[in-house]
């Protein structure tokens, strides 16, 4: 009964919380009905770093934080490694360079939102789409592009971490966090075969966490850089 009431509450909020696979928690945000925003620093220029700090800042402005998730990789000073567009303004530039690490495991990608809805695109495709973008965050690697799994992923990889990512179907942004360590291939398969997302982007691992009013959950254990959230 408790699970049924929780699901009903989520549907009323246009935030669907469910778990088709016990390894993953899924929160679907319908961008036609909910306000999705990116956050990095407060008005004084100080990084939010924790969901609780963001919640308190919003509460002081008579707004409510309903959902939040870490939204991309960051440097030691918590600044984004790649593209970061907040409230229609570019804070950090697109990063197409080559280097070591998951972010640079090409193809990587960008999650973006326009008035027409959310998209996950390969990073080099972004400049042609940049006009009128409301928010955008770059990360890597891409989990899926047009239903195709990243060529570097291996089913038997022993690189297993708590991971999170985002996929898109129509107006819906589908956020996923693993409940246990998984590899890239397992996460890509979940997005493709269970959630039926043609495009999905890895956001990060190890530090992955969510804040959710519906799930009564606040993974506020580590400092974060970019945060994506639903605000009312």
């Amino acid at each position: 009964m408790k699970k049924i009431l929780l699901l009903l509450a989520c549907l009323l909020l246009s935030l669907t919380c469910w778990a088709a696979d016990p390894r993953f928690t899924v929160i679907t945000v319908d961008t036609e009905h909910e306000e999705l925003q990116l956050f990095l620093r407060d008005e004084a220029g100080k990084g939010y770093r924790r969901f609780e700090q963001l919640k308190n800042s919003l509460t002081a402005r008579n707004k409510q934080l309903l959902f939040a998730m870490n939204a991309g990789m960051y440097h030691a000073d918590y600044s984004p490694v790649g593209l970061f567009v907040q409230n229609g303004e570019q804070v950090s530039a697109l990063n197409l360079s080559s280097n070591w690490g998951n972010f640079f495991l090409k193809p990587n990608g960008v999650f973006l939102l326009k008035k027409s809805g959310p998209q996950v695109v390969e990073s080099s495709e972004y400049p042609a789409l940049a006009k009128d973008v409301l928010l955008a965050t770059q990360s890597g690697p891409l989990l899926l592009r047009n239903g195709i799994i990243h060529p570097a992923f291996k089913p038997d990889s022993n690189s297993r971490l708590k991971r999170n990512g985002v996929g898109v179907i129509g107006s819906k942004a589908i956020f996923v966090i693993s409940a246990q360590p998984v590899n890239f291939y397992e996460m890509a398969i979940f997005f493709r075969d269970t959630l039926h997302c043609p495009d999905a982007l890895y956001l990060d691992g190890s530090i992955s966490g969510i804040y959710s009013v519906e799930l009564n959950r606040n993974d506020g254990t580590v400092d974060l850089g970019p945060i994506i959230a639903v605000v009312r």
Side-chain angles (χ1 to χ4, degrees):
M1 179 61 70
K2 184 177 180 181
K3 290 183 178 179
I4 294 174
L5 291 174
L6 174 61
L7 179 57
L8 288 173
C10 292
L11 288 171
L12 288 171
L13 288 169
S14 300
L15 294 172
T16 307
C17 316
W18 60 290
D21 183 319
R23 296 174 300 167
F24 300 98
T25 297
V26 181
I27 295 183
T28 300
V29 178
D30 189 337
T31 61
E32 289 187 348
H33 302 288
E34 295 295 344
E35 184 178 359
L36 196 61
Q37 295 185 37
L38 277 171
F39 294 92
L40 186 64
R41 302 182 182 93
D42 62 20
E43 293 178 355
K46 182 179 179 181
Y48 287 107
R49 300 193 185 181
R50 299 289 178 104
F51 299 137
E52 193 70 19
Q53 298 273 29
L54 176 57
K55 183 190 80 169
N56 292 341
S57 176
L58 290 168
T59 299
R61 288 177 274 163
N62 296 315
K63 293 186 177 183
Q64 182 185 12
L65 180 65
L66 297 181
F67 160 74
M69 174 180 277
N70 57 294
M73 300 174 189
Y74 49 93
H75 296 293
D77 64 355
Y78 302 98
S79 62
V81 175
L83 179 72
F84 189 84
V85 177
Q86 180 182 26
N87 299 323
E89 295 186 8
Q90 182 174 294
V91 176
S92 179
L94 187 71
N95 186 345
L96 298 179
S97 62
S98 297
N99 209 326
W100 177 87
N102 289 330
F103 180 93
F104 300 99
L105 185 58
K106 305 292 182 65
N108 57 12
V110 173
F111 170 78
L112 63 92
L113 178 65
K114 292 188 171 188
K115 287 184 178 179
S116 58
Q119 297 180 60
V120 169
V121 301
E122 197 273 324
S123 292
S124 65
E125 297 172 337
Y126 177 78
L129 302 169
K131 185 179 179 180
D132 298 326
V133 164
L134 302 174
L135 63 83
T137 183
Q138 184 182 9
S139 191
L142 274 174
L143 297 170
L144 295 168
R145 185 64 177 131
N146 297 322
I148 298 174
I149 296 174
H150 195 291
F153 297 172
K154 298 178 180 179
D156 59 351
S157 171
N158 60 7
S159 176
R160 295 178 175 274
L161 296 171
K162 181 180 179 182
R163 303 181 188 272
N164 70 299
V166 59
V168 169
I169 299 179
S171 66
K172 296 176 181 178
I174 303 176
F175 295 92
V176 173
I177 185 169
S178 67
Q180 63 190 53
V182 296
N183 63 33
F184 280 133
Y185 187 87
E186 290 167 337
M187 195 168 199
I189 285 289
F190 179 72
F191 268 107
R192 188 190 69 181
D193 296 352
T194 301
L195 301 181
H196 308 295
C197 293
D199 304 301
L201 177 66
Y202 176 65
L203 292 174
D204 213 337
S206 296
I207 57 94
S208 301
I210 63 169
Y211 174 96
S212 171
V213 171
E214 289 77 24
L215 299 177
N216 191 28
R217 178 170 169 178
N218 183 1
D219 300 343
T221 58
V222 296
D223 287 346
L224 303 171
I227 295 172
I228 196 162
V230 173
V231 178
R232 279 190 182 170

